[in-house]
Amino acid sequence: MNTTLPGAPAFHYQDGQLMVEQLRLSDLAREHGTPLFVYSKASMLAALAAYQAGFAGRKSQICYAMKANSSLAVLQVFARAGCGFDIVSIGELARVQAAGGDVAKVIFSGVGKTRAEMRSALHAGIGCFNVESEAEIDVLNEVALQEGLRAPISIRVNPNVDPKTHPYISTGLKGNKFGIAHERTLATYQRAAQLPGLKVVGIDCHIGSQITEEAPYLDALDRMLDLVEAIAASGIALEHIDFGGGLGIQYQAEEPPRADALWAKLLQKIDARGLQNHTLMIEPGRSLVGNAGVCLTEVLFMKPGEQKNFCIVDAAMNDLPRPAMYQAFHGIVPLVQTTDSAPRLLCDVVGPVCESGDWIGKDRNLAARAGDVLAVMSAGAYCMSMSSNYNSRPRPAEVLVDGASATLIRPREQISDLFRGETLAA
Ligand SMILES: *Cc1c(COP(=O)(O)O)cnc(C)c1O
């Protein structure tokens, strides 16, 4: 078998064994059990380095969009590498603080921030609120004045471009709930600049996720830079331009642009307009962690059928929600390489949850037997952070690998964790 694995070179076969950096995944599965998430630190830092190379010599700030994977040790890797964080709730701010992140480098996105969240984030001293509606501007101004503070803000523009991705993860179209319409942006800046509780510092946009073409980015940047010029002409000085996240990764055959190559093109546009004095910010999530993780899962039963064959594994939609939510594809490969002559079965890989939507992969050609362990590839983003306890299933453990050393960064949940804090009625 000669497959190129997403996440290579950190994930590769050596002597028939699937490795993560210098360790055998089968050893980690034996030690920690399954289902198990395993992340490669080198792979995360390599993904970050592509952005850093793109920004070399520029005033810039990379804010990791932590909803992609918010485990503390993952945040710590990015905090130590100098990243800020893009948060969408006050719970995420608490995680940044617990992981040793710099609160001054935190930006707060999201269409529905509560007053309590605004208050906490103001007192913590975050870098910027990315506001998403005209109503939010008034409420944030009010809250800041009550607290005797001034809220640094950026307005999220909805540029109305089609990112050509799954409708659930497209965010920069007119019909999406995100941002302020392009046509309303200038008037909104003029109003915000008058409000004493606010300090206008930037502009931002984020057009979607798992974007694999460069055209939507180039179009969105043009529209955004038109606005930056119009805002400057109206006498409002912006310090930063935040271009969001959304760059896709390879799950199957996608060929997303490389971060450094994409940024070379985007920077040309910024320079052509003489706007290079602004600090550039970005909010990548998936592209920093997606290919850096796998989920290991054991085959429980093979179940051949008349119409379909099933490979039933111990991971399910509560651990890996992307296939059920977005019909997403994840590569599924054995931890121990099989020979080309091993008998194969065309099957759907499914979990134990009582839903027909509980599948991990469809129509896969696998030489799997009960007891084998499989790796679900590209599981570093939007898997553990979206996992749940549905069907009262404890969530998996997580391991972070750095070279030849592995750290258990989250133990497997225990059954008693499932109903901690619940009480019976009188
Ligand atoms: C989710 C999100 C991101 C990150 O998106 P990725 O596709 O994971 O890079 C960035 N900014 C905002 C506002 C988001 O909601």
Side-chain angles (χ1 to χ4, degrees):
M1 201 169 66
N2 185 17
T3 37
T4 315
L5 295 169
F11 295 96
H12 63 278
Y13 284 102
Q14 185 177 310
D15 303 326
Q17 284 273 346
L18 186 59
M19 312 289 290
V20 50
E21 303 195 21
Q22 295 164 39
L23 297 177
R24 287 181 170 193
L25 283 164
S26 54
D27 290 340
L28 295 175
R30 204 170 304 117
E31 184 176 348
H32 301 286
T34 56
L36 177 73
F37 282 99
V38 180
Y39 308 121
S40 155
K41 182 178 171 188
S43 190
M44 291 181 207
L45 291 177
L48 177 64
Y51 283 104
Q52 289 167 329
F55 287 147
R58 304 276 177 158
K59 278 192 292 181
S60 63
Q61 179 62 55
I62 300 171
C63 291
Y64 167 52
M66 61 180 282
K67 70 181 189 289
N69 186 324
S70 52
S71 298
L72 293 188
V74 171
L75 303 184
Q76 183 186 35
V77 168
F78 291 113
R80 285 187 174 161
C83 289
F85 297 91
D86 175 46
I87 66 167
V88 291
S89 73
I90 213 66
E92 288 196 338
L93 181 60
R95 283 188 171 273
V96 169
Q97 291 170 310
D102 182 352
V103 173
K105 292 185 191 165
V106 165
I107 54 183
F108 192 173
S109 301
V111 296
K113 305 174 191 79
T114 66
R115 284 170 191 260
E117 286 182 312
M118 292 174 181
R119 221 173 283 127
S120 304
L122 271 170
H123 283 289
I126 66 162
C128 188
F129 290 83
N130 288 358
V131 298
E132 304 221 16
S133 63
E134 297 179 53
E136 183 187 343
I137 285 178
D138 291 320
V139 172
L140 183 57
N141 176 56
E142 217 178 281
V143 172
L145 290 176
Q146 279 163 5
E147 303 300 312
L149 294 166
R150 241 175 131 195
I153 68 154
S154 157
I155 292 178
R156 176 167 176 182
V157 184
N158 181 330
N160 194 29
V161 300
D162 185 355
K164 307 220 171 60
T165 182
H166 189 282
Y168 284 10
I169 48 178
S170 122
T171 57
L173 276 166
K174 262 198 170 130
N176 295 134
K177 68 180 175 182
F178 300 98
I180 290 178
H182 190 262
E183 309 76 57
R184 293 284 311 154
T185 305
L186 182 56
T188 310
Y189 267 104
Q190 286 167 331
R191 212 164 62 75
Q194 310 293 318
L195 298 176
L198 305 182
K199 177 173 193 284
V200 172
V201 294
I203 185 168
D204 68 284
C205 82
H206 170 70
I207 56 174
S209 200
Q210 187 52 18
I211 301 169
T212 53
E213 297 174 30
E214 62 181 33
Y217 273 113
L218 296 170
D219 293 349
L221 186 64
D222 280 334
R223 308 210 74 188
M224 178 115 135
L225 296 181
D226 290 346
L227 280 172
V228 172
E229 287 174 343
I231 292 161
S234 82
I236 299 168
L238 298 180
E239 292 161 23
H240 76 251
I241 302 174
D242 171 356
F243 202 46
L247 189 58
I249 62 167
Q250 190 188 33
Y251 286 101
Q252 190 170 13
E254 302 93 335
E255 286 182 19
R258 287 176 49 104
D260 45 0
L262 177 64
W263 273 97
K265 291 198 181 170
L266 295 169
L267 289 170
Q268 268 177 11
K269 284 187 180 285
I270 291 169
D271 294 352
R273 302 213 200 192
L275 294 171
Q276 57 271 54
N277 54 332
H278 292 79
T279 299
L280 293 172
M281 301 198 2
I282 49 163
E283 311 161 353
R286 185 193 312 270
S287 53
L288 292 181
V289 290
N291 284 144
V294 296
C295 180
L296 307 185
T297 182
E298 182 178 322
V299 177
L300 299 175
F301 307 105
M302 295 304 288
K303 185 177 178 184
E306 240 169 66
Q307 295 200 352
K308 273 263 177 197
N309 303 309
F310 295 100
C311 168
I312 302 171
V313 297
D314 66 356
M317 64 187 284
N318 70 297
D319 311 300
L320 293 163
R322 298 187 62 259
M325 275 186 80
Y326 320 112
Q327 285 84 48
F329 180 95
H330 286 275
I332 302 174
V333 299
L335 294 200
V336 181
Q337 235 170 353
T338 46
T339 57
D340 288 338
S341 59
R344 283 163 189 276
L345 194 64
L346 188 68
C347 55
D348 284 5
V349 179
V350 301
V353 162
C354 305
E355 300 267 348
S356 291
D358 179 29
W359 55 274
I360 311 289
K362 294 220 158 152
D363 298 319
R364 302 304 172 86
N365 204 11
L366 292 172
R369 289 162 312 175
D372 287 355
V373 180
L374 305 173
V376 179
M377 304 302 293
S378 311
Y382 302 109
C383 290
M384 188 63 183
S385 62
M386 283 180 132
S387 66
S388 77
N389 292 122
Y390 187 41
N391 277 212
S392 288
R393 290 168 49 85
R395 287 181 304 159
E398 295 180 294
V399 166
L400 179 68
V401 170
D402 179 10
S405 83
T407 309
L408 180 67
I409 60 169
R410 185 197 307 249
R412 185 172 306 287
E413 269 178 347
Q414 300 301 305
I415 297 294
S416 57
D417 294 330
L418 294 177
F419 42 87
R420 188 167 9 106
E422 288 185 44
T423 50
L424 297 171

